[in-house]
Amino acid sequence: MNCQPTPRSFSSSYFLILALCVSWLSASSPSAAAPPTQAAWQEKIDSVRKLVNQTSQDDKLKAVLLGITVEGKEVLMLAQGDSMTGVPATIDMHLRNGNVAVAYLGNLFYQLVDAGVIKADDPVGKWLPALPYSDSVTLEMLLNGTSGYPDYMPMPAFEKRLYADPFHQWTSEELIQLALTEQPKFKPGTDWNYAHTNFVILGEALEKATGKPLQKLLQKHVLIPFGMTQTAAPGNALIPEPVLHSYTDERGPFEDATFWNPSWTLPGGAVQTSTIRDTLSGFRAVGQGQGLKPGTFQAMLAPKTSGMKIWTKDRYYAQGIVVDRGWLTQAPSFCGLYGAAGYLPEKDIAVAIWCTRSKDAQAEGNPALTLFNKITPILSPAK
């Protein structure tokens, strides 16, 4: 979830990941490089178009970007609505990718395991001995949410500071110290909770273990080999042009929150900007286990949280990615930007959705995730 105080209900955004945590006002852009099998997909694509148009009207969305690939080929690329008044949304617009980057972080983590740099069950205290319970919290627990460390995001002290100055540049030290003002949620390894704190600590540990900045590690091992030329971690609130603007009423008035500082969302090197096409490319690569040995990839997808909270053997939080009845997913939501990304290994289908709401929108939750959950049965009906 990277990053989710959403408009009308802070608590609803916090638990967005538990739910598995568009206004289509202009004509859609045509698909590029469609695969030879597109004719067989035409009926499905027509159904998707109708669905998103109706959802956009019902939810009063301002802009939507949607991409679908099959076997790595684009079958649908849509950009509808406005980024700003009088500025149409386009498929090449940049945006913050939120916790989609956690999936990339998970892939990097297991590449480092394969390389022998770290072990999944290494205690955090091996690199960060000053942290409480660091002798019993493992690196893998940070990645799958079973460490027990509290999340700073729902804390009143964090919310107050965030909304008082949404342009503040947060440091990892600030975020970790704030989180540790509360007691652990549970004994390490015994339960699950989504905590941004885990990823911030993991980023610090990986930098200590490798002696390299996280941004450079992700660039070398994930972004470049996965062909993600439009994804970067600028280290500040910069978003390259063209930009999909986002809007929220989290602080009361409906306002442009595009350039609120996202430094609180993840460890600095993983706070990224991206595009629809890069999201599709990157999530597909992660979903195929690129860069990983087969056994290590299976470890990344292992159902270690099954039976904890709402998770089951078919729907659970794995190591940096959510497994939902065959789909590998993430669903970010923050600062008025809503997203959903997913990959179905069985049929080599990738889906990425990003959308923003208009001032008149009333619905709660993540509309991109709602749309994703309606689209996926069309693309791959349940057996």
Side-chain angles (χ1 to χ4, degrees), residues 44 157 179 202 208 228 238 266 280 324 370:
K44 293 181 179 182
L202 180 61
K208 293 282 188 180
M228 302 167 68
L238 175 69
L266 285 173
L280 290 167
D324 187 4
T370 300

Side-chain angles (χ1 to χ4, degrees), residues 136-156:
S136 53
V137 173
T138 69
L139 296 179
E140 195 171 62
M141 288 178 188
L142 296 173
L143 199 54
N144 63 26
T146 61
S147 72
Y149 286 127
D151 186 13
Y152 53 79
M153 200 198 77
M155 294 181 179

Side-chain angles (χ1 to χ4, degrees), residues 186-238:
F186 45 79
K187 182 180 178 181
T190 64
D191 205 349
W192 177 90
N193 75 298
Y194 191 89
H196 296 76
T197 313
N198 287 326
F199 305 122
V200 176
I201 293 174
L202 180 61
E204 291 285 291
L206 294 184
E207 290 190 341
K208 293 282 188 180
T210 61
K212 298 177 181 179
L214 182 61
Q215 186 272 341
K216 293 195 173 185
L217 291 170
L218 285 165
Q219 185 76 19
K220 177 181 178 180
H221 296 282
V222 177
L223 304 187
I224 292 176
F226 293 176
M228 302 167 68
T229 61
Q230 297 299 308
T231 302
N236 52 37
L238 175 69

Side-chain angles (χ1 to χ4, degrees), residues 5 22 57 71 93 118 130 134 151 163 180 211 219 223 232 244 247 271 324 348 364 367:
V22 188
Q57 293 176 20
E71 297 178 358
M93 282 184 163
I118 58 174
S134 62
D151 186 13
Y163 292 145
L180 296 180
Q219 185 76 19
L223 304 187
L244 179 67
Y247 307 84
V271 180
D324 187 4
D348 196 2
E364 299 287 350

Side-chain angles (χ1 to χ4, degrees), residues 1 7 84 144 213 223 231 235 246 258 265 280 283 299 307 338 358 374:
M1 161 173 154
M84 297 185 290
N144 63 26
L223 304 187
T231 302
S246 61
T258 309
T265 56
L280 290 167
F283 224 78
Y338 306 93
S358 70
K374 292 178 179 179

Side-chain angles (χ1 to χ4, degrees), residues 107-124:
N107 179 277
L108 169 66
F109 177 87
Y110 286 100
Q111 285 194 47
L112 295 175
V113 170
D114 277 342
V117 177
I118 58 174
K119 295 179 181 179
D121 60 356
D122 276 338
V124 177

